[in-house]
């Protein structure tokens, strides 16, 4: 499983998730503040809309991309 989005030019391999002992998948991707569209990619081929995204946008191909909003850190 990997995460692909406009932050990595929709690469299906550059951000693989790590499977944790509990069976969940995890990744931390440091990003500057902004809004980013993303999907999960399973087995390098199946693009999956994230169920718990903050928002969604049409992907232009008949499905939706998740959106994550990175807010500025409080100082």
């Amino acid at each position: 499983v990997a995460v692909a989005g406009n932050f990595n030019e929709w690469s299906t391999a550059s951000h693989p998730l790590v499977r944790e002992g509990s069976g969940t998948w995890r990744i931390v991707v440091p990003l500057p503040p902004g809004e980013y569209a993303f999907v999960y990619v399973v087995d390098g081929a199946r693009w999956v809309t994230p169920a718990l995204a903050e928002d969604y946008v049409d992907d232009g191909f008949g499905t939706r991309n998740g959106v994550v909003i990175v807010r500025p850190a409080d100082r």
Side-chain angles (χ1 to χ4, degrees):
V1 177
V3 63
N6 58 357
F7 58 89
N8 68 4
E9 298 183 18
W10 299 97
S11 169
T12 60
S14 66
H15 288 88
L17 281 72
V18 174
R19 190 166 191 172
E20 296 184 332
S22 62
T24 59
W25 295 85
R26 178 177 162 88
I27 188 170
V28 175
V29 181
L31 296 170
E35 292 188 15
Y36 301 91
F38 73 102
V39 296
Y40 298 118
V41 183
V42 179
D43 296 329
R46 188 166 50 103
W47 294 58
V48 178
T49 302
L52 301 176
E54 291 183 65
D55 201 358
Y56 297 91
V57 294
D58 178 44
D59 71 354
F61 298 99
T63 59
R64 300 182 306 163
N65 294 326
V67 173
V68 62
I69 302 167
V70 179
R71 292 171 176 77
D74 290 335
R75 296 185 188 255

